Amino acid sequence: MALAVSCDDTTSTTAAPAPAQRAAEPAAAPPAEAAPSQTPSAHQSEFANLPAPYSQADYSLGRRTFKNCQSCHTIAEGARHLVGPNLYGLFGREVGTVSDFQYSGALQSADFEWTPERLEEWLTNPRDYLPGNRMSFAGVHRPDARHAVIAYLMVESGYGGEAAPQDAPTDAED
């Protein structure tokens, strides 16, 4: 069996039956695949109200990709901080301003608000985007996974559904 895991939390597992097993199995019709849902999930339809490219993102991929983030961040309103701050209300917030979180000097002295576009740049490579921050995460390198996790954060963190100003804030540091 082969197992491959990437930083974008995409995992694939492949196992081929042994040649003897294949010969012994009777020929049968392949199992019917589940028909794709005719309507998008409630969460996927929430993405439709987001600005492009996030409106076209995959909710399931965003949720899976966020699993990489949740070891350091919470996202629920009122949830506690972990190694990084709670991300609820991230969009439109001035960077480094959650009063009960101890930010790095780099984030304390940064002067911008978190927007989906800023988070896009940040998640590509946090260390390069703002040198001196404490976030040890290497980034989300696949654009589809990055769009999906940002859309997931927008839906799950109370984003208002309107396109935020170009320099809107977001707190995402470990």
Side-chain angles (χ1 to χ4, degrees), residues 9 63 88 122:
D9 196 33
R63 186 180 61 233
Y88 189 85
W122 172 271

Side-chain angles (χ1 to χ4, degrees), residues 81-86 98-104 134 173-174:
H81 303 300
L82 300 176
V83 174
N86 178 330
V98 173
S99 62
D100 58 343
F101 185 78
Q102 194 76 24
Y103 288 95
S104 65
R134 293 187 304 242
E173 178 181 336
D174 279 354

Side-chain angles (χ1 to χ4, degrees), residues 125-131 133:
N125 188 330
R127 291 213 182 254
D128 287 350
Y129 183 72
L130 190 61
N133 78 76

Side-chain angles (χ1 to χ4, degrees), residues 13-152:
T13 305
T14 23
Q21 286 178 313
R22 278 184 267 170
E25 294 173 1
E33 291 185 27
S37 171
Q38 296 300 321
T39 59
S41 73
H43 293 296
Q44 191 66 45
S45 65
E46 289 180 49
F47 280 15
N49 297 324
L50 301 176
Y54 313 109
S55 58
Q56 301 302 310
D58 178 342
Y59 181 87
S60 296
L61 177 57
R63 186 180 61 233
R64 283 192 318 270
T65 304
F66 186 74
K67 289 182 186 282
N68 292 314
C69 310
Q70 70 187 42
S71 61
C72 297
H73 295 282
T74 55
I75 192 172
E77 184 174 14
R80 66 187 176 102
H81 303 300
L82 300 176
V83 174
N86 178 330
L87 300 177
Y88 189 85
L90 173 71
F91 298 99
R93 185 166 66 204
E94 184 71 27
V95 67
T97 60
V98 173
S99 62
D100 58 343
F101 185 78
Q102 194 76 24
Y103 288 95
S104 65
L107 277 161
Q108 289 175 6
S109 63
D111 184 27
F112 62 88
E113 291 182 357
W114 287 111
T115 63
E117 296 79 17
R118 287 273 188 181
L119 190 56
E120 178 94 27
E121 294 168 4
W122 172 271
L123 288 175
T124 299
N125 188 330
R127 291 213 182 254
D128 287 350
Y129 183 72
L130 190 61
N133 78 76
R134 293 187 304 242
M135 190 162 164
S136 60
F137 184 63
V140 179
H141 302 290
R142 286 184 24 217
D144 64 326
R146 201 168 45 249
H147 295 158
V149 76
I150 291 169
Y152 177 80

Side-chain angles (χ1 to χ4, degrees), residues 1-18:
M1 178 190 296
L3 178 64
V5 179
S6 75
C7 290
D8 295 342
D9 196 33
T10 51
T11 305
S12 63
T13 305
T14 23

